[in-house]
Amino acid sequence: MIKEEEELVRTKVKRQAMTDYLTPSVQNIKPSGIRRFFDLVNTRKDVITLGVGEPDFITPWHVREAAVYSLERGKTQYTSNAGLPALREAIGQYLNDQFQTPYDPANEILVTVGGSEAIDLALRALIVPGDEILIPEPCYISYSPITALGGGVPVGIETFAKDKFKLTAESLEAVITPRSKVLILCYPSNPTGGIMTYEDWLPIAKVVEDNDLIVISDEIYAELTYGTKHCSFSAMPGMRDRTILVSGFSKAFAMTGWRLGYACGHPDLIAAMLKIHQYTVMCAPAMAQYAGVEALTRGLEEKDRMVDAYNQRRRLVVKGFRDIGLECHEPEGAFYAFPSVKATGLTSEKFAERLLEEGGVAAVPGDVFGLGGEGHLRCSYATSVSNLAEALDRIGGFVHKLRQG
Amino acid sequence: MNELQLKVLELLKEDARRDADLIATLLGAPAEEVKQAIAELEHNHIIVKYATIVNWSKVDDEKVTALIEVQITPERGRGFEGIAERIYLYPEVKSVYLMSGAYDLLVEIEGKNLKEVASFVSNKLSPIDAVLSTKTNFILKKYKQDGIIFEEHEGDDRLMISP
Ligand SMILES: Cc1ncc(COP(=O)(O)O)c(C=O)c1O
């Protein structure tokens, strides 16, 4: 290289600011709306929060104790990359028993650091830059950013309160192009509480088949349904090999802090995800995995007790909003209500901000969850009955004041 | 006892101040049925009383509680019933259980101080003819009662907003 050329290269890579080192995809990710609202809430005291997307229960004692016991026995080493064989066995057994989705613990189940890692691994294994990733919205806030990080193009599909926020075959078909590759499903849904039944899934499965899509089905709220038993997309005829089933322990077993989840699917897909997993995190935390075995083998009764409690609170919240005069579709899963605040004439964001300021209640404005979220409020009922009653009281007072002008 | 009654009991056991309307909402049952269920539970003495669990150690005039193991000669024909009644009718006596094992009755006594409890045992309990022996155990500290842990509950540590 001649001297002048060398000089040129050097000046060309000279960066002005630290951020110039960052990849464009990271730079382009906007801070999450949840984060922004969180900062706002943190400036206030005496707030009752309906903004929390995690159980208010503490992990059942026998599960905690199993982790403590694993530590006492000195089980402090790495586990196999795919996860403890005993845990994979337990997951296989549990999924088959509860949702009729059989997976082979030997090569079809991968234990991950939360459902979050499983979603990330799946997308990283699948996305070639330019691929379109189809995402029914409103939805969990991570899908689009992770897609974008991998160079994929997130394509939202709006769902509506009038359809109970179900995905329809027509709206799915309408967004499909030759670049469509992955469909991300999340039912029961965060933030809407919508679910999908066998009959709802049938036409979706057909579109998936016809268009050769791969599905990432985030079923982390599968246990939290009220009235209808959860129907896994992977259990639909012909869909097992096209589906990566993602789940975890956070919601059903009140284990958010343990960071334990899993992905199940075709051995080739799981093998690919395992490659990324083993080079990035090695394995999920050992003590969490021992706790996971306990949760799945002896924790179902405690889980049922928690689901029962959520169901009671769900009734209280839905009735509460309707009594206040805010439209609220009946959430049939997860632990969120998604009432509409359109009748007040305020945007989600304005409503949430003023409710926080003037009513002392925090709930997440629906627009942060993507298409179709505007005009709604996400209210988590994973909090005590007395908190909920007080929050509803305050919301009622606030809405009444709004109506008075 | 039907399922609704059982559910009502569970909810009232958690918090006795819940009213029938709230319970009806929580259970998705008609308020009338819940009111009826509560009335029946009260009538049948399944709900015996609505009480408050107090952590007396936080109150200035703290009370002294003793658990007394009592050995008894049972009465012909009535077994332990008559003696148990004689004992439980004293207002100082908070609870009486018939036990299997090394002694027959477990009697819980509450008094203002040690002296008061001791005098009850020596003046009232021991002199009963059928009472063979007593062994008094004072409660030093209550950690948990009726499933309720006395220690200050840790607050809600969750983030105010999360995904
Ligand atoms: C739909 C959905 N998927 C995944 C997660 C993340 O779960 P985990 O704690 O297992 O990473 C959440 C948490 O809020 C969620 O709502």
Side-chain angles (χ1 to χ4, degrees):
Chain A
M1 209 188 283
I2 58 167
K3 216 162 170 121
E4 253 169 305
E5 236 175 29
E6 240 174 31
E7 204 60 47
L8 192 69
V9 170
R10 218 173 287 142
T11 45
K12 222 170 129 191
V13 298
K14 183 104 180 143
R15 280 132 180 137
Q16 303 298 314
M18 263 341 237
T19 47
D20 291 345
Y21 287 91
L22 301 174
T23 67
S25 46
V26 162
Q27 292 194 50
N28 287 339
I29 289 177
K30 288 189 243 84
S32 108
I34 282 206
R35 186 74 235 165
R36 217 187 58 72
F37 200 67
F38 176 79
D39 293 339
L40 191 64
V41 173
N42 264 0
T43 64
R44 295 255 331 190
K45 278 204 287 285
D46 297 332
V47 172
I48 293 191
T49 181
L50 306 181
V52 190
E54 66 176 314
D56 61 321
F57 295 102
I58 310 291
T59 310
W61 169 244
H62 69 101
V63 175
R64 284 184 274 158
E65 204 271 336
V68 172
Y69 185 54
S70 80
L71 291 176
E72 282 179 355
R73 283 180 304 153
K75 301 288 187 186
T76 57
Q77 296 85 6
Y78 292 131
T79 70
S80 61
N81 295 124
L84 283 174
L87 179 55
R88 279 180 281 146
E89 280 299 333
I91 292 168
Q93 186 74 48
Y94 160 81
L95 286 176
N96 192 39
D97 291 351
Q98 297 288 312
F99 308 112
Q100 293 71 54
T101 44
Y103 286 100
D104 184 352
N107 57 6
E108 296 184 325
I109 298 177
L110 171 63
V111 176
T112 58
V113 179
S116 304
E117 197 216 350
I119 297 163
D120 182 44
L121 292 177
L123 285 170
R124 283 213 264 168
L126 292 170
I127 292 176
V128 175
D131 283 345
E132 289 176 351
I133 311 301
L134 317 179
I135 309 172
E137 294 179 349
C139 75
Y140 179 50
I141 54 171
S142 296
Y143 304 142
S144 282
I146 303 181
T147 297
L149 274 177
V153 181
V155 177
I157 308 170
E158 185 166 355
T159 63
F160 302 92
K162 68 173 166 55
D163 306 325
K164 297 178 152 192
F165 294 102
K166 290 174 192 287
L167 174 65
T168 63
E170 300 77 58
S171 56
L172 172 58
E173 245 166 350
V175 298
I176 284 177
T177 73
R179 313 204 77 160
S180 306
K181 184 173 194 181
V182 179
L183 169 63
I184 304 183
L185 296 170
C186 175
Y187 293 94
S189 157
N190 172 8
T192 67
I195 62 163
M196 294 284 279
T197 62
Y198 186 91
E199 286 71 32
D200 296 330
W201 279 139
L202 271 179
I204 306 291
K206 176 152 185 354
V207 180
V208 166
E209 178 98 62
D210 291 350
N211 293 280
D212 230 10
L213 299 176
I214 282 279
V215 170
I216 299 173
S217 184
D218 181 350
E219 303 184 16
I220 197 150
Y221 292 103
E223 289 284 359
L224 278 49
T225 58
Y226 314 103
T228 323
K229 181 123 176 110
H230 172 68
C231 176
S232 173
F233 188 73
S234 144
M236 297 304 293
M239 288 301 110
R240 188 176 175 280
D241 281 351
R242 292 193 170 275
T243 304
I244 298 174
L245 190 163
V246 169
S247 192
F249 294 76
S250 286
K251 315 294 171 170
F253 297 97
M255 293 175 70
T256 49
W258 299 79
R259 310 312 306 128
L260 193 63
Y262 49 89
C264 309
H266 190 281
D268 294 348
L269 296 177
I270 292 299
M273 289 165 64
L274 176 60
K275 275 196 223 168
I276 311 173
H277 173 77
Q278 74 184 3
Y279 291 126
T280 48
V281 304
M282 297 290 299
C283 66
M287 54 281 229
Q289 294 192 54
Y290 286 103
V293 174
E294 177 72 17
L296 289 181
T297 50
R298 281 175 288 274
L300 297 188
E301 226 170 276
E302 286 278 293
K303 175 219 67 182
D304 288 342
R305 207 177 47 74
M306 293 190 272
V307 174
D308 231 26
Y310 293 134
N311 195 9
Q312 292 172 0
R313 300 157 179 196
R314 178 184 72 109
R315 296 190 184 107
L316 177 65
V317 167
V318 172
K319 177 171 185 298
F321 280 115
R322 290 179 180 169
D323 286 351
I324 290 167
L326 294 181
E327 234 171 77
C328 185
H329 89 104
E330 174 143 353
E332 292 175 76
F335 40 52
Y336 309 100
F338 205 57
S340 166
V341 296
K342 287 176 187 157
T344 65
L346 298 179
T347 62
S348 299
E349 191 176 1
K350 203 77 221 145
F351 186 95
E353 277 178 23
R354 285 189 58 185
L355 176 62
L356 178 66
E357 279 303 315
E358 300 166 38
V361 176
V364 187
D367 60 312
V368 312
F369 302 100
L371 296 176
E374 175 49 43
H376 293 267
L377 207 57
R378 190 194 73 174
C379 300
S380 158
Y381 49 83
T383 187
S384 69
V385 168
S386 54
N387 267 352
L388 289 172
E390 171 68 21
L392 287 166
D393 239 29
R394 294 188 187 185
I395 296 171
F398 170 68
V399 169
H400 183 73
K401 211 181 70 191
L402 280 180
R403 291 217 177 90
Q404 308 260 293
Chain B
M1 167 108 38
N2 56 37
E3 181 160 1
L4 178 68
Q5 287 180 327
L6 204 59
K7 292 268 178 207
V8 168
L9 277 183
E10 280 167 10
L11 286 174
L12 281 173
K13 189 73 188 113
E14 260 174 47
D15 183 351
R17 289 184 305 175
R18 287 175 176 162
D19 64 22
D21 286 331
L22 175 61
I23 291 173
T25 305
L26 292 175
L27 296 179
E32 273 319 305
E33 278 179 32
V34 170
K35 283 186 185 133
Q36 176 70 24
I38 293 177
E40 267 171 44
L41 288 165
E42 289 171 355
H43 179 79
N44 297 335
H45 269 252
I46 292 172
I47 293 177
V48 182
K49 195 179 173 68
Y50 298 93
T52 307
I53 294 177
V54 177
N55 186 355
W56 286 107
S57 71
K58 296 207 155 180
V59 180
D60 284 342
D61 58 340
E62 195 181 331
K63 293 177 167 53
V64 179
T65 311
L67 295 175
I68 304 172
E69 301 167 10
V70 185
Q71 278 188 315
I72 298 181
T73 320
E75 285 175 310
R76 186 183 208 98
R78 293 191 70 196
F80 295 101
E81 303 300 305
I83 312 290
E85 183 179 359
R86 270 194 73 183
I87 294 174
Y88 70 60
L89 284 174
Y90 285 105
E92 307 75 334
V93 173
K94 293 298 153 197
S95 53
V96 176
Y97 307 111
L98 180 62
M99 309 292 286
S100 70
Y103 55 92
D104 305 305
L105 294 182
L106 184 65
V107 178
E108 185 184 356
I109 310 262
E110 205 172 79
K112 279 208 267 303
N113 47 43
L114 290 186
K115 226 169 89 193
E116 203 178 88
V117 174
S119 108
F120 177 81
V121 175
S122 53
N123 296 334
K124 302 287 195 306
L125 197 55
S126 299
I128 296 174
D129 276 347
V131 169
L132 296 175
S133 75
T134 66
K135 187 168 152 198
T136 305
N137 309 280
F138 285 102
I139 292 180
L140 301 181
K141 180 173 178 181
K142 281 190 187 174
Y143 295 100
K144 187 176 183 181
Q145 181 184 334
D146 285 350
I148 311 288
I149 294 171
F150 272 28
E151 213 175 291
E152 211 76 50
H153 250 320
E154 280 184 40
D156 191 342
D157 286 341
R158 299 177 299 165
L159 302 173
M160 291 292 277
I161 302 280
S162 68

